[in-house]
Amino acid sequence: MACVAKEIEWRIKVEEDDTLKRRVVGCMWAATAGVALKLWKFVKKAWELGVNDPRKFIHCLKVGVALSLVSLFYYWKPLYDGVGGNAMWAVMTVVVVFEYTAGATICKTVNRMCGTSLAAFLGIGVHWVASRAGEQYEPIIIGISLFLLASAATFSRFIPTIKARFDYGAMIFILTFCLVSISGYRVDELLNMAQYRMFTIIIGSILCIIVSVIIRPIWAGFELFVIVTGNLDKMANSLQCCVAQYFDGSEASDEESDKVSEKELLGYKCVLSSKATEEAMANLARWEPGHGRFNFRHPWRQYIKIGASMRSCASCLDALIGCINSDNKASDEMKKNMRIISMKVGANSASVIRELATTMRNMTKSSKLDILVTEMNSAAQELRSLLSSYPNLVNAKRSAQTETAPSDIPQAAKVEIPLMQIIQVVTVASLLIEIVARVEGIVETVEELSDLANFQPEMCVKSKQHSPDSKISPDQQIDEETDRTLQMV
Amino acid sequence: MACVAKEIEWRIKVEEDDTLKRRVVGCMWAATAGVALKLWKFVKKAWELGVNDPRKFIHCLKVGVALSLVSLFYYWKPLYDGVGGNAMWAVMTVVVVFEYTAGATICKTVNRMCGTSLAAFLGIGVHWVASRAGEQYEPIIIGISLFLLASAATFSRFIPTIKARFDYGAMIFILTFCLVSISGYRVDELLNMAQYRMFTIIIGSILCIIVSVIIRPIWAGFELFVIVTGNLDKMANSLQCCVAQYFDGSEASDEESDKVSEKELLGYKCVLSSKATEEAMANLARWEPGHGRFNFRHPWRQYIKIGASMRSCASCLDALIGCINSDNKASDEMKKNMRIISMKVGANSASVIRELATTMRNMTKSSKLDILVTEMNSAAQELRSLLSSYPNLVNAKRSAQTETAPSDIPQAAKVEIPLMQIIQVVTVASLLIEIVARVEGIVETVEELSDLANFQPEMCVKSKQHSPDSKISPDQQIDEETDRTLQMV
């Protein structure tokens, strides 16, 4: 009896063990599969990121090439004999200095070279003075000078002008000064060491600049140009799309086109959020040599101003879209009355903005721009006059109604205009007029740019007209690039 | 005769020489003075920058202290004997890793340590494999692995999640992997070297964290908190000020108060331009340990959402101010009719926004908030009903006029309401209503924050009420800090 019971117990135990084992294995499989799935999704997303903008892949390969080249200092004996362990500084320079845009690479390179040389001279000077002062005072002199110079250089990084251009240089200055002045206390061949390091840093820097500028360069200036002109187009589309949607009210459209128009409608949001990218790019662009049709002293700062005027216009557009989506709906009749002229204002403003983008793309003074601006202003004026004539309009309509059914309308209704039904339309109209004023602000800044950059008057440049477009990678990638950069900042 | 002529010639020459000399000296003096003046202005500006925000000075001193401490590795013989030339890596770590906010310092420190260790293990592994493959294949294996890993790590820096948190780590990974795998080809005691470097980097990192966190720490989280709450206050002031200016139209004020109100009016611009700073700070804040009343897992990302809802409200305010400054002036009478209720809407919205700022400052769930929101909404509703009743209003007024001078007003004028004179007021009112809707958006995001961060219901916390304010440095400095940071981005 006891034996049978034991056997059963044992069987149950074995079965329990089996179930437990199976469960554990199952859990482990599930966990592994979960991790693998997540990893797969991550890799897929990353791959898409690269496929959408192949320049990212190219950049990675460029970094690989630069590092392989600089590592020759170790592999190739004659080179290694020349610089020895100091080759490390060339490798370090390449890793630290190589950036996505050529402007950033050049900026960091120049900063690194200037910061290193300045600090090396100062460090050697301080070391010389300290070594003359006797063994007892040497660490004190070096320590105090280190403290003071490091603090001062750190403070300089807070000053806007230095921060914008020489932030990295100030850091490298502190680094080099520390290494030279402190290690001078222990290393005997200080001058020799400094010389070799300087030499290898210069080699690394030059290598970076060459690889960055020669192999499929990515110019910060061109990126800025693409962002600003692309944003102009997006804003034009948003503006036209929003006015058209409001006054046409095409609700019978299918889902697909809804999505497209939704994307178009919200394009202006890119304008609102691209301040940081624009400023960063403009700061880097001025380090770049002339490229494409941009010369060395191209007025990149003006693009920031254009961006600011665009943002001012976009925030008005944001308010407009907010009002359109608000609960106060206007009567369809009112909309119908305002429809043609409002859509004209929207379309004319959009074509002015598009013409500005074309002007910037072609780098020519547009002959059409003045006409378009005049048309836009006259449309705005028409809208204004329509608004001033509005009571008459209602009056006329009412008198028409009166003709058809004179007895139905009581006397009170004659004066009681349903203002609630006008409000939205009036607000939209008045915001449109404000947007027209702000579009003129964009026109001004672009005209300043055309003066600063000496845009030529439009001539027979039809053949060249779309040359910059051909260089532009698909719009989408620029969007994503912008969004990504913004997410990061 | 010839002699006299010669003498005269000589005199003229001497005089000319004298004039030239004096001119050159004068020019040099002027140039020196000019440079000195410029330098003086620059130094004065920099000094003011520091005086306005003494934390900048403190940060510089902290860097000096950290560097002095780490340089003891060179000066103090027992320490130097311990690590030798590898002390350089500790110095380098301090220079590179020490940042303005504690969050940034910790982020970089963790990145540096993780990146270095991971790369060191991989590098040693690759070196071990390569050394087994024979002398001929060694550089090839190392070269290929270097190329692949460097490219992959560079690509990972484009992926948003990695970019936001581990950008520096990826760079350090590439750097260390290069140094270990390449120099492994020449240096014999690779393991020993890697061990010492790791050790010194850890020492430098720990030193940085200690100095950064213990001596007057500057927390990224607290900065973010100050920026967001400050922006709320600024927006409230802007809103109230703009509505009051429009409806009161106090043009008889003096210049001084004009400047003050101008500054107050444009405070909302800070809101529009602080996106980049807010995102950077939120990214850094999550590296920070609990500090003050913020615990480690404080929902910093929510502040970005609050910022976004504020920007949406601020762009509406921007449109409102644009409309107010436009040419379409409303008649004074119309303004007078709308004055009280519009100002009520403005003031109520402003007090809701201020209450939100107070809620965030006190970290308590406000008991007044619901009442204030209700008041704001009912004021907006009143504004709406005023607008709906408007034609009646005009009607009433007209009939009053009709009583006084019945014969003067022709029949046509009875219906011809001057809509042009309503437009601006109607637009302002309708934008105010839109602003109220967007303020509700801010309320929602702040309420989400209060749920996420477990704000306690308001109790007897009067004594603590202004504790965070006392820590806040003068508003001005925060402004300038924000502006500066933004200029740089």
Side-chain angles (χ1 to χ4, degrees), chain A residues 163 315 318 391 416-417 488, chain B residues 163 315 318 391-392 417 488:
Chain A
K163 174 98 188 163
S315 66
D318 186 56
E416 228 167 89
I417 296 167
M488 261 102 270
Chain B
K163 175 95 188 166
S315 65
D318 186 56
N392 291 337
I417 296 169
M488 258 103 272

Side-chain angles (χ1 to χ4, degrees), chain A residues 42 46 49-50 56-57 59-61 63-65 67-68 71 74-75 77 80 88-89 91-92 95 100 139 142-143 146-147 150-151 154-155 158-163 171 174-175 178-179 182-183 185-186 197 273 275-276 279-280 283 312 315-316 318-319 322-323 326 328 384 387-388 390-392 395 398 415-417 419-420 423 426-427 430-431 434 438 484 486-489, chain B residues 42 46 49-50 56-57 59-61 63-65 67-68 71 74-75 77 80 88-89 91-92 95 100 139 142-143 146-147 150-151 154-155 158-163 171 174-175 178-179 182-183 185-186 197 273 275-276 279-280 283 312 315-316 318-319 322-323 326 328 384 387-388 390-392 395 398 415-417 419-420 423 426-427 430-431 434 438 484 486-489:
Chain A
F42 181 78
L49 196 77
K56 291 194 176 106
F57 283 136
H59 171 67
C60 298
L61 297 183
V63 173
V65 168
L67 277 177
S68 302
S71 64
Y74 275 94
Y75 301 144
K77 207 163 177 323
Y80 187 78
M88 187 186 84
W89 292 94
V91 175
M92 214 183 262
V95 174
Y100 185 59
I142 292 179
L146 176 71
F147 186 89
S151 298
T154 306
F155 187 75
F158 287 119
I159 300 167
T161 42
I162 290 184
K163 174 98 188 163
M171 198 184 79
I174 304 175
L175 179 62
C178 286
L179 292 186
I182 300 178
S183 62
Y185 188 62
R186 295 281 172 192
R197 279 196 192 163
S273 63
K275 185 174 188 268
E279 285 181 357
N283 264 337
S312 150
S315 66
C316 216
D318 186 56
C323 280
S326 73
N328 273 336
R384 253 187 231 114
L387 285 172
S388 353
Y390 212 68
N392 290 338
N395 188 26
R398 200 181 300 121
V415 209
E416 228 167 89
I417 296 167
L419 186 63
M420 231 19 216
I423 288 181
V426 168
T427 310
S430 131
L431 283 175
E434 177 67 21
R438 295 191 180 192
R484 196 188 54 74
L486 285 164
Q487 271 181 342
M488 261 102 270
V489 176
Chain B
F42 181 78
L49 195 76
K56 292 198 176 105
F57 283 135
H59 170 69
C60 298
L61 297 183
V63 172
V65 168
L67 277 177
S68 303
S71 65
Y74 275 93
Y75 301 144
K77 207 161 177 329
Y80 188 77
M88 187 187 82
W89 292 95
V91 175
M92 215 182 263
V95 175
Y100 185 60
I142 294 179
L146 176 71
F147 185 88
S151 298
T154 305
F155 187 76
F158 286 119
I159 300 167
T161 42
I162 291 183
K163 175 95 188 166
M171 197 183 79
I174 304 174
L175 179 62
C178 286
L179 293 186
I182 300 178
S183 63
Y185 187 64
R186 295 283 173 191
R197 279 196 193 164
S273 62
K275 184 174 188 265
E279 285 181 357
N283 266 336
S312 148
S315 65
C316 216
D318 186 56
C323 281
S326 72
N328 273 336
R384 252 187 232 116
L387 285 173
S388 352
Y390 212 67
N392 291 337
N395 189 25
R398 200 180 301 118
V415 209
E416 228 168 272
I417 296 169
L419 185 64
M420 231 20 216
I423 288 181
V426 168
T427 309
S430 127
L431 284 175
E434 177 67 21
R438 295 192 180 192
R484 195 188 55 75
L486 285 166
Q487 271 180 340
M488 258 103 272
V489 177

Side-chain angles (χ1 to χ4, degrees), chain A residues 13-56:
Chain A
K13 214 176 168 187
V14 167
E15 267 166 27
E16 262 179 4
D17 268 14
D18 263 17
T19 340
L20 199 74
K21 241 187 211 169
R22 247 177 283 149
R23 262 193 210 158
V24 167
V25 170
C27 276
M28 273 170 67
W29 267 111
T32 319
V35 169
L37 195 74
K38 266 196 179 170
L39 207 71
W40 169 244
K41 271 186 189 163
F42 181 78
V43 170
K44 206 180 148 197
K45 233 179 173 178
W47 180 256
E48 275 166 11
L49 196 77
V51 169
N52 283 333
D53 187 359
R55 297 177 305 169
K56 291 194 176 106

Side-chain angles (χ1 to χ4, degrees), chain A residues 223-395:
Chain A
E223 295 286 294
L224 177 63
F225 166 82
V226 170
I227 290 172
V228 171
T229 50
N231 278 351
L232 279 171
D233 279 339
K234 273 180 209 159
M235 200 161 65
N237 291 340
S238 279
L239 179 57
Q240 197 164 6
C241 182
C242 119
V243 176
Q245 266 195 6
Y246 179 62
F247 285 101
D248 272 353
S250 54
E251 283 169 24
S253 56
D254 58 315
E255 239 178 64
E256 189 66 18
S257 74
D258 249 23
K259 258 186 198 167
V260 171
S261 66
E262 181 73 15
K263 206 191 154 193
E264 215 161 66
L265 184 66
L266 296 179
Y268 75 97
K269 290 210 183 250
C270 281
V271 181
L272 283 177
S273 63
S274 61
K275 185 174 188 268
T277 321
E278 280 169 17
E279 285 181 357
M281 289 295 163
N283 264 337
L284 296 177
R286 55 178 162 186
W287 290 94
E288 288 171 353
H291 53 90
R293 294 166 313 153
F294 308 105
N295 50 16
F296 175 56
R297 290 206 161 277
H298 193 76
W300 297 115
R301 309 293 305 172
Q302 187 63 26
Y303 285 79
I304 296 181
K305 282 190 195 164
I306 296 175
S309 62
M310 277 160 69
R311 268 188 295 285
S312 150
C313 189
S315 66
C316 216
L317 187 56
D318 186 56
L320 178 67
I321 290 174
C323 280
I324 285 176
N325 295 330
S326 73
D327 297 333
N328 273 336
K329 292 294 171 215
S331 69
D332 288 343
E333 221 168 322
M334 301 296 304
K335 273 194 194 174
K336 219 181 277 174
N337 291 331
M338 310 278 286
R339 186 175 165 274
I340 296 175
I341 182 70
S342 297
M343 282 180 70
K344 195 174 161 192
V345 173
N348 282 5
S349 315
S351 38
V352 168
I353 300 176
R354 282 202 198 96
E355 182 62 24
L356 290 177
T358 314
T359 305
M360 287 173 71
R361 289 216 178 89
N362 293 343
M363 290 192 143
T364 51
K365 279 184 178 160
S366 163
S367 53
K368 278 190 290 176
L369 188 63
D370 286 341
I371 302 166
L372 287 172
V373 171
T374 317
E375 270 175 16
M376 174 181 78
N377 282 330
S378 73
Q381 193 51 48
E382 270 179 63
L383 184 60
R384 253 187 231 114
S385 359
L386 180 69
L387 285 172
S388 353
S389 75
Y390 212 68
N392 290 338
L393 230 165
V394 173
N395 188 26

